[in-house]
Amino acid sequence: MTTSSGAVPGAADAVAVPSAVRPTSLSPSRASDFMQCPLLYRFRVIDKLPEKPSAAATRGTLVHAVLERLFDRPAQERTASAARALVPGQWDRLLEARPELAELFPEGDEGAGLARWLTEAEALVDRWFTLEDPTRLEPVEREFFVEAELESGLRLRGIIDRVDVAPTGEVRIVDYKTGKAPRPEYAEGALFQMKFYALVVWRLRQVVPRRLQLVYLGSGDVLTYDPVVADLERVERKLHALWEAISRATETGEWRPRPTKLCGWCDHRAVCPEFGGTPPVYPLVIGPRAPEPDPGPAVARVSASAVAEAAVAEAAVAESTVAEAAVAKAEAEAAVEGAGDGAVRPADS
């Protein structure tokens, strides 16, 4: 007998996988995974099931690398032609770090598919110059890894594409998106990642970022939001609720699938019970739950039903259209780290 998550009661000790570890931190991408589908979170974070690279996600990685490297140049040399010239070299670095990406393009088309894909990447880079002027920007951080531990013990981490600081000390957090901007009614969900970063910066430096900015290269839109302390406190409460639900699922082995339109782009349908599959045996020992961290008097407890409602609302951003769902999935896959040598960064988990 197995549970709906594929766990075998009483058999965990015999089949535990040494490499499987309990989650210890939360990032924007992993929080979004859990809100989209708890079973997807399990497959990615605990089972660490492999996923096939996608052309859209890889293109996003390439564009991010180009925009990061452009700021290595003096301001007057940050031109569109200079940025386009970076594309082939950054692709070579990406391919060197991950040779399996070559499989994205068929060998029999004499390079036509790759050439077309690189042209699409160049078009996204060109569009950025219509939205921002890099000759007037001097980021204080690029591909900035941030990590903070809340008073409750919950550890938050992530990677911010760009941090700008004005002469007056005001902080702007910028994130590049290679997809299209969401419709206005879904803007709140799109800003979740940015508010997450703002919360981390606030807890680290006791400074509330003045502005959060999402630059959508796919549609040529810029979405901005100016957070206040109350916004960040709400995000903190939401994250504590999510972490409580994740901790409960970790201890019980109950990771419920949540079917949505995004299932069409999931790499794990073969092992998902919603599609007739059987998940791998749960690799962690199932036992009594560890005591929950005390969120402190300023952090309200949020019920599991509230977490579920938040998950549905968050998933609606990606479900607004099939095309947007594909973009959201691709960008989730593209949570990669631009290391100092231009290598791909691992998904922040």
Side-chain angles (χ1 to χ4, degrees):
M1 175 181 176
T2 61
T3 67
S4 62
S5 64
V8 180
D13 287 320
V15 296
V17 177
S19 61
V21 295
R22 297 175 185 275
T24 59
S25 62
L26 196 59
S27 69
S29 54
R30 299 294 78 83
S32 295
D33 284 346
F34 186 83
M35 289 188 291
Q36 176 187 321
C37 174
L39 187 57
L40 174 64
Y41 176 97
R42 178 204 144 170
F43 286 158
R44 284 180 167 168
V45 176
I46 296 178
D47 296 290
K48 294 181 172 58
L49 299 184
E51 297 184 352
K52 296 179 180 178
S54 75
T58 306
R59 184 170 55 239
T61 302
L62 175 60
V63 171
H64 275 72
V66 168
L67 298 187
E68 180 194 3
R69 292 300 174 197
L70 185 66
F71 284 104
D72 290 339
R73 296 170 175 261
Q76 67 273 18
E77 296 180 14
R78 297 171 195 160
T79 63
S81 59
R84 285 195 301 274
L86 289 172
V87 171
Q90 291 304 312
W91 167 239
D92 289 341
R93 288 192 177 197
L94 194 57
L95 194 59
E96 182 180 358
R98 297 178 58 190
E100 71 275 13
L101 295 178
E103 300 174 5
L104 291 171
F105 307 102
E107 296 181 358
D109 68 351
E110 299 181 348
L114 174 59
R116 183 168 54 251
W117 181 82
L118 290 172
T119 299
E120 292 168 351
E122 291 174 353
L124 292 173
V125 170
D126 279 340
R127 180 167 286 156
W128 179 60
F129 283 83
T130 69
L131 305 174
E132 295 190 287
D133 181 359
T135 66
R136 303 181 63 181
L137 298 171
E138 291 297 340
V140 297
E141 301 287 357
R142 289 172 279 153
E143 296 294 304
F144 182 41
F145 176 79
V146 291
E147 184 173 42
E149 185 171 307
L150 305 182
E151 291 183 2
S152 66
L154 173 58
R155 189 152 50 97
L156 306 178
R157 62 190 303 184
I159 299 171
I160 302 173
D161 287 345
R162 198 180 86 218
V163 179
D164 301 330
V165 178
T168 55
E170 295 176 315
V171 175
R172 177 172 63 182
I173 295 176
V174 181
D175 194 73
Y176 308 121
K177 299 293 184 185
T178 51
K180 296 180 179 180
R183 296 197 294 265
E185 61 267 33
Y186 298 122
E188 179 62 28
L191 283 168
F192 169 74
Q193 174 188 11
M194 303 302 285
K195 291 181 179 181
F196 183 109
Y197 291 146
L199 169 63
V200 176
V201 170
W202 178 42
R203 290 307 188 194
L204 277 177
R205 301 184 176 178
Q206 291 73 54
V207 174
V208 175
R210 175 67 177 83
R211 173 152 295 181
L212 310 178
Q213 181 167 303
L214 284 161
V215 181
Y216 286 94
L217 304 177
S219 57
D221 296 298
V222 176
L223 176 63
T224 62
Y225 184 81
D226 298 341
V228 296
V229 169
D231 290 327
L232 306 187
E233 289 175 338
R234 281 192 292 270
V235 172
E236 191 170 49
R237 291 193 293 269
K238 179 176 182 177
L239 292 175
H240 274 110
L242 282 172
W243 190 247
E244 183 176 347
I246 289 170
S247 299
R248 184 180 303 111
T250 301
E251 298 297 339
T252 63
E254 289 289 338
W255 299 91
R256 302 287 181 179
R258 180 178 292 120
T260 67
K261 293 177 183 177
L262 290 174
C263 292
W265 287 271
C266 182
D267 286 322
H268 309 302
R269 285 175 292 177
V271 292
C272 177
E274 289 295 322
F275 294 89
T278 301
V281 174
Y282 191 54
L284 297 177
V285 175
I286 296 175
R289 290 184 65 194
E292 291 292 341
D294 181 3
V299 181
R301 309 287 278 186
V302 183
S303 68
S305 62
V307 175
E309 291 171 4
V312 172
E314 212 70 54
V317 177
E319 288 190 296
S320 55
T321 66
V322 172
E324 288 170 6
V327 169
K329 195 266 185 184
E331 290 184 339
E333 291 174 342
V336 292
E337 176 182 3
D341 60 358
V344 183
R345 75 186 181 208
D348 48 351
S349 58

